Amino acid sequence: MALFKFIVKSPSPFGGAGLIIVTFGIVLIVKGLYYSNNHVTRRSYGNVQKNLSNFILKDISDDVQINHTSLPINVRRHEEHATTSFLSVCDLDFKTLKGREKMALTSQSLIALESMFPESHAGGRFQPNGCRSKHRIAIIIPFRDREIHLKIYLSNVIPKLRRQKVDFTIYVVEQAPGSHFNRGMMRNIGFAEARKIADYDCFIFNDVDSIFEDDRNLFQCGTDNSVRHLVTGVDVFDYKLKYSILVGGIIAFTPEQFRRVNGYSNFFFDWGAEDDDIYYRIQRAKMQIERPDTNSTIGFMSTLKHKRDPEVKYRFDILYSRNNETSHKDGINSLKYTVKVISHKKLFTWIYVAVNEEEVLQGLDAGIRRKIAAYRLKTKT
Ligand code: UD2
Ligand code: MN
């Protein structure tokens, strides 16, 4: 109001020029607001939007009915085969792929994204058109409070995977409040829950902020002894890997490989080391890491910016306290959690879970547990 009066009362001879400057200013403000709502720059968002579960429940269409979840998996596989066996196996024509693309930072509402991908089936399953994919893939995304990242992820990744003609289903595993974030547990829970829903040949763990750039980087698992890490370079590390044993971002395991390493450790609450830990698990299980060709840019990955969580205090104590080898009793075989919601949305299956941090940490060496407890008490975190 005050601004308006100023414009009206502005005395000449500066009135004309003042009006132009103010109008220009208003245009800039309006443009800025438009961009902050619709376009996201790499630096403009941090750990935004609390209560993400509310957002998922609001900004999205209702559940899609899945009518056969009570059937045992082998019966479902058989039924599935009966409905698709007349189709020939997909033959990927590399000419239809686009190669390396820049990540688009446009953030759309989930409802808008749903209408962009009408071909999705219940729970975020996508099947290739007119052919049968040899593999069925579950993509597991550990998740909490990264709403914008999820939207950017879906809009960038789905079209690339459609071009790869893979049969994939996206699982978003969200950790409910009440415990520190645990990336490893969310991935383990995604594995355990997705297996109850369908018989997948390959599990790809993909962080919500990690977007593969090149559609020639095929979403598939390695063979028997090779766990496939789909990343050879990360934008923020000058398109290199920060260190050679890095297996973060996007990694693919067959169910058998994941079982052999007993999944991720459940002990890492907050940021860091759960990925280094699984590297050592892979090594101990005498498996290798395979990656896309390091002489090309095919394995390059873009990341989204965010504030980093507090580091897991004493993570190296946990990581290196393995003289008496604990991974065989810490992982998918010791996983405890409570499912609050499983909901088959159009673009993904949403699994909302609670974990009891104190109970999980009971499995840790008593000395480290005491150190962590003292640290939490001191820092009130
Ligand atoms: C690195 C690794 C990542 C992971 C982490 C160590 C790469 C490229 N990435 O990423 O794989 O091992 O270090 O823990 O090496 N998340 C949420 N909400 C949160 C926190 C995390 O949804 O509040 C999820 C989300 O999917 C995120 C992922 O966990 O992308 C990894 O966490 P991060 O992005 O905080 O870790 P970052 O970028 O350091
Ligand atoms: Mn990240």
Side-chain angles (χ1 to χ4, degrees):
M1 210 50 192
L3 180 73
F4 185 65
K5 273 186 195 151
F6 167 76
I7 297 170
V8 174
K9 287 185 183 165
S10 172
S12 71
F14 299 106
L19 199 63
I20 290 167
I21 290 166
V22 171
T23 314
F24 186 64
I26 291 173
V27 168
L28 279 184
I29 290 168
V30 170
K31 202 169 169 217
L33 280 178
Y34 173 79
Y35 270 85
S36 66
N37 281 334
N38 296 284
H39 297 260
V40 195
T41 66
R42 281 201 85 253
R43 317 241 147 239
S44 67
Y45 43 88
N47 279 342
V48 282
Q49 265 93 1
K50 300 287 163 197
N51 298 328
L52 195 100
S53 42
N54 288 340
F55 136 81
I56 284 195
L57 293 173
K58 268 191 268 163
D59 175 27
I60 198 164
S61 52
D62 290 340
D63 274 27
V64 194
Q65 215 46 48
I66 285 196
N67 52 17
H68 57 203
T69 39
S70 58
L71 290 175
I73 286 222
N74 55 351
V75 178
R76 271 183 262 153
R77 172 156 270 220
H78 187 73
E79 275 198 346
E80 172 99 20
H81 187 70
T83 55
T84 55
S85 59
F86 65 94
L87 293 170
S88 54
V89 172
C90 298
D91 189 14
L92 187 59
D93 175 4
F94 275 78
K95 280 197 235 89
T96 60
L97 297 177
K98 288 194 175 169
R100 193 170 169 204
E101 279 176 300
K102 217 171 148 8
M103 164 172 70
L105 285 166
T106 312
S107 160
Q108 327 235 19
S109 73
L110 284 176
I111 292 266
L113 286 169
E114 287 175 357
S115 58
M116 269 169 64
F117 304 111
E119 69 279 20
S120 70
H121 298 278
R125 180 178 182 190
F126 289 81
Q127 288 171 283
N129 292 334
C131 62
R132 176 165 49 93
S133 174
K134 253 199 261 169
H135 305 289
R136 192 160 170 189
I137 292 164
I139 297 176
I140 312 289
I141 304 179
F143 189 82
R144 172 187 269 177
D145 197 16
R146 297 273 182 103
E147 156 188 352
I148 298 176
H149 289 188
L150 181 60
K151 292 169 177 174
I152 297 175
Y153 179 89
L154 296 171
S155 65
N156 280 274
V157 166
I158 294 173
K160 288 189 168 76
L161 294 179
R162 297 285 292 144
R163 291 199 291 275
Q164 290 187 3
K165 297 189 185 169
V166 279
D167 180 336
F168 65 97
T169 307
I170 300 174
Y171 288 86
V172 174
V173 190
E174 180 177 356
Q175 185 173 341
S179 49
H180 298 92
F181 193 69
N182 188 318
R183 294 149 178 79
M185 277 191 92
M186 292 308 109
R187 296 182 184 119
N188 286 344
I189 294 169
F191 174 80
E193 290 300 317
R195 268 165 81 80
K196 293 181 195 162
I197 293 172
D199 191 7
Y200 295 103
D201 313 295
C202 179
F203 287 83
I204 302 196
F205 300 95
N206 197 328
D207 290 345
V208 73
D209 58 9
S210 300
I211 292 169
F212 72 112
E213 295 184 356
D214 194 314
D215 58 5
R216 291 169 299 175
N217 187 359
L218 300 181
F219 262 49
Q220 60 189 30
C221 276
T223 46
D224 296 353
N225 268 327
S226 300
V227 172
R228 191 168 171 77
H229 183 223
L230 280 80
V231 187
T232 57
V234 185
D235 57 355
V236 288
F237 309 146
D238 284 332
Y239 283 111
K240 295 190 178 74
L241 294 184
K242 207 169 175 186
Y243 45 90
S244 62
I245 68 158
L246 187 138
V247 289
I250 316 171
I251 186 165
F253 287 86
T254 64
E256 173 55 18
Q257 290 170 346
F258 204 60
R259 198 196 52 73
R260 268 163 73 185
V261 297
N262 197 17
Y264 281 85
S265 167
N266 299 311
F267 293 147
F268 296 93
F269 287 87
D270 278 341
W271 182 91
E274 91 292 341
D275 46 343
D276 300 329
D277 184 274
I278 205 161
Y279 172 81
Y280 293 120
R281 286 172 182 238
I282 294 166
Q283 202 182 44
R284 276 195 296 265
K286 309 228 174 330
M287 294 192 287
Q288 287 115 37
I289 307 287
E290 68 170 43
R291 297 198 174 92
D293 181 5
T294 44
N295 294 320
S296 81
T297 59
I298 287 183
F300 283 6
M301 183 177 88
S302 295
T303 54
L304 297 163
K305 185 81 181 162
H306 56 81
K307 271 194 243 145
R308 200 201 245 188
D309 276 3
E311 294 179 9
V312 184
K313 207 71 184 165
Y314 305 111
R315 67 182 182 282
F316 296 115
D317 294 33
I318 304 175
L319 190 61
Y320 299 128
S321 68
R322 300 296 167 101
N323 298 334
N324 50 353
E325 184 36 55
T326 54
S327 60
H328 65 280
K329 49 183 180 176
D330 160 34
I332 41 176
N333 68 355
S334 62
L335 188 60
K336 283 198 195 127
Y337 57 96
T338 313
V339 173
K340 290 173 148 260
V341 184
I342 291 197
S343 168
H344 301 286
K345 301 297 178 191
K346 278 199 80 177
L347 297 182
F348 52 84
T349 299
W350 177 47
I351 303 179
Y352 189 53
V353 290
V355 302
N356 183 335
E357 185 166 345
E358 220 176 293
E359 190 187 337
V360 174
L361 291 178
Q362 289 300 317
L364 255 185
D365 175 87
I368 304 174
R369 208 167 63 224
R370 269 196 301 276
K371 280 186 186 176
I372 296 175
Y375 168 77
R376 294 280 184 214
L377 202 67
K378 195 172 125 210
T379 56
K380 298 193 176 59
T381 51

